[in-house]
Amino acid sequence: MQQKKNLAVFFGGKSSEYEVSLQSAHAVITAIDPLAFNLILIGIDRHTGAWLWYQGDTKRILTDSWQSKADCTPVVPSMDQTVHGLCCLTGCGCKNIPLDAALPILHGKNGEDGTMQGVLDLMGVPVIGCGLLSSALCMDKVLAHHIASANGIKTARCYTLTEGFSQDDARCAAESLGYPLFVKPVRAGSSFGISKIADESQLLPAISHAFTYDSTVILEEMIDGFEVGCAILGTKNLWIGEVDEIELTDGFFDYTEKYTLKSSQIHAKARISAQTADAVKHTAKQLYRIFDCSGFARIDMFLTPEGEIYFNEINTIPGFTSHSRFPGMLMAAGLTFEEIIRRLLTPEE
């Protein structure tokens, strides 16, 4: 009988998306076959960044009541690659916990941006999902747009601001891009810090707000059209999900809309022609390969009334609850949630 593999699932994290990570991780953990894997659940404290080996009821992850002395043991990453795992800090000293693989379910900063992937690389632990460079590039809106554009894929025009920027230059750039436009932090997830502004009176407050999330901000033209997404699973052999569509009645798809859908609706199968859907899937696959993505990712694009496709962003660790967009697109293509997780964790031939 084959020995079960030690799989570390990371959740929580020092990120504004801490709560979303708990929901995603709980869904993933409960879908993993316990006969195939010995799960090592590592929660990351949202304030201190401490790593805690959680051995309690997984339902308490969902309610954010998982941190307790009885169920949590401090662990640290071992940089000794003969260990390729963790050091468990007990009253008797340090105990090594070897890992066969790690699955970070950490959204946004300090998890989706390449930092966690870099630590796991140093530990000698294989990462399930996108690697360090891919994660870092996809998280940076400016670099990602430059790379997509250099490969012939349309992107929105934008202007970059750093701290100490000239207000007059910002006003001129905004006027050139045209109102309405978006003000965005360059490296922040789940639409945090993003504002859609209608005129110059809103520009400087929106820039100030974006700078609370990152040290670099962009002004970005608004693309006339609607957002579509494409879920991709795999590394060598890719499983492409159905294209989805975000229908908005007001505003934009910010953090609140993503998790309340107060004025929006997600169509798990976009209301577009089969030919257009194929073109979106082809572009998504191109972007996945260009950014050297692996394991899984969600590619977000805009579709104009003329049928033009514009790159928006790549989410290298998208929401992973059973009702999130990423699994929704794959389920629309015929996979169950459990099958998505099984395929994710099964090495490709």
Side-chain angles (χ1 to χ4, degrees), residues 212-263:
T212 65
Y213 287 88
D214 194 30
S215 59
T216 311
V217 168
I218 58 169
L219 312 182
E220 184 178 287
E221 74 169 326
M222 188 182 82
I223 301 299
D224 182 25
F226 57 89
E227 187 173 339
V228 292
C230 189
I232 300 182
L233 182 66
T235 300
K236 296 178 182 177
N237 305 307
L238 305 184
W239 186 287
I240 313 293
E242 291 292 346
V243 176
D244 79 351
E245 169 195 347
I246 298 172
E247 180 184 10
L248 288 171
T249 58
D250 186 40
F252 68 100
F253 205 54
D254 60 8
Y255 180 80
T256 301
E257 274 303 313
K258 286 180 180 180
Y259 298 103
T260 65
L261 299 178
K262 287 182 178 179
S263 62

Side-chain angles (χ1 to χ4, degrees), residues 154-157 177-182 196 220-228 246 248 301-310:
K154 292 182 173 68
T155 61
R157 292 179 301 135
L177 293 172
Y179 292 99
L181 57 81
F182 289 97
K196 180 182 178 181
E220 184 178 287
E221 74 169 326
M222 188 182 82
I223 301 299
D224 182 25
F226 57 89
E227 187 173 339
V228 292
I246 298 172
L248 288 171
M301 294 154 282
F302 293 110
L303 187 63
T304 71
E306 297 75 30
E308 294 180 307
I309 298 167
Y310 279 76

Side-chain angles (χ1 to χ4, degrees), residues 3 92 156 204 277-278 281 308-309 311 348:
Q3 187 176 1
C92 301
L204 294 181
D278 285 343
K281 291 177 183 179
E308 294 180 307
I309 298 167
F311 169 65
E348 293 183 21

Side-chain angles (χ1 to χ4, degrees), residues 276-337:
T276 302
D278 285 343
V280 171
K281 291 177 183 179
H282 175 73
T283 304
K285 186 176 178 180
Q286 276 186 293
L287 288 162
Y288 195 86
R289 295 300 194 198
I290 288 167
F291 285 90
D292 196 27
C293 295
S294 57
F296 63 105
R298 191 189 75 229
I299 320 298
D300 293 342
M301 294 154 282
F302 293 110
L303 187 63
T304 71
E306 297 75 30
E308 294 180 307
I309 298 167
Y310 279 76
F311 169 65
N312 182 21
E313 64 180 356
I314 299 177
N315 290 268
T316 54
I317 307 181
F320 231 117
T321 68
S322 58
H323 57 268
S324 295
R325 290 177 65 201
F326 177 83
M329 287 184 270
L330 290 166
M331 288 190 281
L335 296 179
T336 64
F337 189 80

Side-chain angles (χ1 to χ4, degrees), residues 23-242:
Q23 296 178 43
S24 293
H26 179 265
V28 169
I29 290 163
T30 54
I32 294 175
D33 182 1
L35 298 178
F37 295 97
N38 179 33
L39 291 183
I40 311 293
L41 307 182
I42 306 298
I44 299 179
D45 184 278
R46 70 187 308 175
H47 302 295
T48 66
W51 291 18
L52 302 170
W53 180 15
Y54 178 63
Q55 299 175 74
D57 188 339
T58 55
K59 292 179 181 177
R60 289 170 57 191
I61 295 175
L62 195 60
T63 59
D64 194 16
S65 57
W66 61 276
Q67 289 195 53
S68 70
K69 289 185 178 180
D71 295 321
C72 293
T73 304
V75 294
V76 294
S78 173
M79 297 305 163
D80 181 347
Q81 294 197 3
T82 63
V83 174
H84 56 83
L86 303 164
C87 290
C88 176
L89 306 178
T90 67
C92 301
C94 184
K95 170 189 173 184
N96 291 332
I97 306 172
L99 302 175
D100 295 293
L103 175 60
I105 305 295
L106 302 165
H107 305 306
K109 283 189 174 182
N110 304 311
E112 196 174 355
D113 56 2
T115 50
M116 174 59 68
Q117 292 74 13
V119 171
L120 291 167
D121 280 350
L122 290 173
M123 294 165 62
V125 176
V127 179
I128 297 171
C130 293
L132 188 162
L133 182 58
S134 176
S135 300
L137 290 175
C138 290
M139 191 73 174
D140 189 304
K141 292 179 176 64
V142 172
L143 292 177
H145 277 64
H146 285 327
I147 292 169
S149 180
N151 282 273
I153 296 171
K154 292 182 173 68
T155 61
R157 292 179 301 135
C158 63
Y159 183 82
T160 305
L161 302 172
T162 55
E163 293 172 337
F165 69 95
S166 162
Q167 293 186 5
D168 287 339
D169 287 349
R171 291 189 186 95
C172 289
E175 192 66 33
S176 175
L177 293 172
Y179 292 99
L181 57 81
F182 289 97
V183 180
K184 303 179 178 181
V186 169
R187 297 171 294 268
S190 207
S191 301
F192 283 106
I194 296 179
S195 302
K196 180 182 178 181
I197 61 173
D199 55 51
E200 186 179 301
S201 67
Q202 300 173 317
L203 179 63
L204 294 181
I207 292 173
S208 178
H209 176 58
F211 270 121
T212 65
Y213 287 88
D214 194 30
S215 59
T216 311
V217 168
I218 58 169
L219 312 182
E220 184 178 287
E221 74 169 326
M222 188 182 82
I223 301 299
D224 182 25
F226 57 89
E227 187 173 339
V228 292
C230 189
I232 300 182
L233 182 66
T235 300
K236 296 178 182 177
N237 305 307
L238 305 184
W239 186 287
I240 313 293
E242 291 292 346

